Amino acid sequence: MSAPERLPPRGVSAVEPDTPVEGDAQVTAELLARGELTVLGRIREASNAVLLCDVAHDGTTARCVYKPVAGERPLWDFPDGNLARREVAAYLLSEATGWGLVPTTVLRDGPYGEGMVQQWIESDDGAEAGLLALVEGDEPGEGWKAVGHAEVGGGRTALLVHADDPRLRRLAVLDAVINNGDRKGGHLLPAPDGRLYAIDHGVTFNTEDKLRTLLWGWAGEPLTDEAVEVLLRIASETADGGPLATRLAELITAAELAAVRDRVAQLLETRRHPVPSGQWPAIPWPPV
């Protein structure tokens, strides 16, 4: 993540940053939900208001991101003031997979009203280069999967590729389940410990097929046995009365929850990664 643009203090003071909380997600969730938020600044590149904060509780301080509902820009295809809840829903579904792809995320009140608060992840910038690339020619090369050709200026094109990485493949499955309409390269955060995190999940859970992603390299290929096992578990937990269904029902509509079940059922029926529908742009813009 890039350095934030400073905000007027509005009654909150900045403090020196501490290292992010690591380890048990439940402990981190309690800190994010109950701690006092101190706004440090605004992250400039985001289309909605994204505030960099410190959160402190019982002597523990950590870095986090706070996205207030009041700072969300209206979208024609999503209800107003609902993106923060979708971010939390995406986190819950990620946790249900056991893959831990989304940083710990909670819904709470903050200095600018209700919003989502998410654990800050320090990204390994060097590792980011190993996930996405533009290459000459029509073949991705060993260890890479082709997404498609992209214009690079001067009338030239290059082949957009992503790594043939099991972490990305798991994320492609999660995105298919939550119907992610905006999986860009900048949303991928490889951590120094080797884990991969993904952020920015406000544009998810629509009832219509809006999957837009840079991770089409496995399109049409068989799902891994691991993915099938995870999807079977998700199908059980999102069934009527299931623990995940109960929690998601507090965040998304009944129709959107039913669409989650339908997407999981479709993936289990085909046992393959989805392919672009042709009814919606397959790749987000800008891609990074």
Side-chain angles (χ1 to χ4, degrees), residues 17-246:
D18 287 278
T19 55
V21 169
E22 298 178 355
D24 185 68
Q26 189 60 41
V27 174
T28 305
E30 182 177 0
L31 172 63
L32 296 176
R34 300 180 61 187
E36 181 179 357
L37 289 173
T38 300
V39 178
L40 304 176
R42 179 172 182 169
I43 297 175
R44 292 172 293 179
E45 293 82 357
S47 56
N48 296 306
V50 181
L51 306 180
L52 184 66
C53 300
D54 274 345
V55 59
H57 182 65
D58 282 348
T60 300
T61 303
R63 181 61 51 83
C64 63
V65 170
Y66 164 46
K67 297 183 181 180
V69 170
E72 295 179 3
R73 294 183 179 179
L75 299 173
W76 67 270
D77 50 351
F78 286 86
D80 291 348
N82 195 250
L83 304 188
R85 292 176 179 268
R86 295 170 192 275
E87 295 248 27
V88 178
Y91 165 70
L92 294 177
L93 233 160
S94 169
E95 287 299 285
T97 66
W99 291 331
L101 292 166
V102 179
T104 305
T105 311
V106 302
L107 188 72
R108 57 163 289 178
D109 284 332
Y112 296 91
E114 183 182 80
M116 81 82 162
V117 176
Q118 186 174 81
Q119 178 186 12
W120 174 267
I121 301 296
E122 289 291 346
S123 178
D124 182 350
D125 294 337
E128 290 181 20
L131 297 177
L132 296 165
L134 289 168
V135 300
E136 301 291 338
D138 298 322
E139 297 298 328
E142 185 176 358
W144 296 89
K145 305 292 286 187
V147 178
H149 285 88
E151 294 185 7
V152 294
R156 297 172 52 249
T157 62
L159 185 65
L160 177 63
V161 299
H162 64 68
D164 189 2
D165 186 315
R167 301 171 302 171
L168 290 179
R169 191 165 191 173
R170 290 169 175 168
L171 183 57
V173 174
L174 176 65
D175 282 343
V177 172
I178 66 177
N179 195 17
N180 193 347
D182 194 32
R183 172 60 70 217
K184 297 176 179 177
H187 300 165
L188 307 176
L189 300 180
D193 63 3
R195 292 187 61 179
L196 177 69
Y197 293 92
I199 59 172
D200 287 350
H201 296 101
V203 189
T204 50
F205 294 103
N206 202 295
T207 56
E208 299 180 13
D209 181 5
K210 292 184 179 289
L211 184 59
R212 295 194 303 172
T213 176
L214 292 181
L215 304 180
W216 287 115
W218 296 283
E221 293 188 15
L223 295 168
T224 64
D225 292 342
E226 176 195 45
V228 171
E229 181 180 345
V230 165
L231 289 168
L232 287 169
R233 184 166 68 249
I234 295 300
S236 174
E237 294 188 13
T238 55
D240 286 338
L244 183 56
T246 300

